[in-house]
Amino acid sequence: MEKFLKVTGIAAPMPLVNIDTDMIIPKVFLKTIKRSGLGVNLFDEMRFDRQGNEIPDFVLNKPQYRDAEILVTGDNFGCGSSREHAPWALKDFGIKSIIATSFADIFYNNCFKNGILPIVLPQEAVDVLMKDAEKGSNARMTVDLENQTVTTSDGESFSFEVDSFKKHCLIEGLDDIGLTMEKAAAIDTFEAAASQARPWV
């Protein structure tokens, strides 16, 4: 998993509440078990019409937000059914951090396991960040995980809380497999000792 330290980039404003996982990646695209290739289907029903043409008014279809790396969104982002494909699609599109007043628990935890930093901030802070994001591609927002701050293009900064273990995993680029591999030497030692003590197993 890619390490996450700091990202300075375009933030896309998406002031909608209760964006669920089916809006993020519709169920028709859940047939794959690969983490890559889902970015083209991110927010599919909001980005494209029934003929597959882009809907110009959707924020990520606007020229100034096509390369967005940060999403500033409404309350309860990622609610609905549990599907790891949702953070896969966001990550594959290029989204590295999502800022909201709240997230659905399963989606929130899945983000960390897939290299995305979800940030919870009070409504007044999100309102300021939403306005900054509305400035378009000329305004660059900075998310600094090490210092746990989000800074607007004008230099206004907000601090956020994050679990120390989840922070460690993102900074080191460790998913569940990576965490297990950190213990590879200890696992090998245990297995060698176990096979000597119980050779019949």
Side-chain angles (χ1 to χ4, degrees), residues 26-58:
K27 58 184 177 292
V28 68
F29 302 111
L30 303 186
K31 297 171 184 176
T32 182
I33 56 171
K34 294 180 180 178
R35 297 188 185 196
S36 60
L38 288 170
V40 294
N41 306 119
L42 178 69
F43 297 117
D44 189 84
E45 293 175 1
M46 292 192 283
R47 282 173 66 199
F48 305 102
D49 63 22
R50 290 187 178 180
Q51 286 71 46
N53 302 309
E54 288 189 353
I55 298 171
D57 287 342
F58 184 67

Side-chain angles (χ1 to χ4, degrees), residues 95-108:
I95 301 300
K96 296 179 179 176
S97 183
I98 307 165
I99 302 166
T101 53
S102 70
F103 294 88
D105 286 344
I106 294 174
F107 174 83
Y108 181 82

Side-chain angles (χ1 to χ4, degrees), residues 49-70:
D49 63 22
R50 290 187 178 180
Q51 286 71 46
N53 302 309
E54 288 189 353
I55 298 171
D57 287 342
F58 184 67
V59 62
L60 296 179
N61 288 339
K62 295 179 179 180
Q64 62 268 42
Y65 296 114
R66 287 184 181 274
D67 296 320
E69 295 179 280
I70 302 163

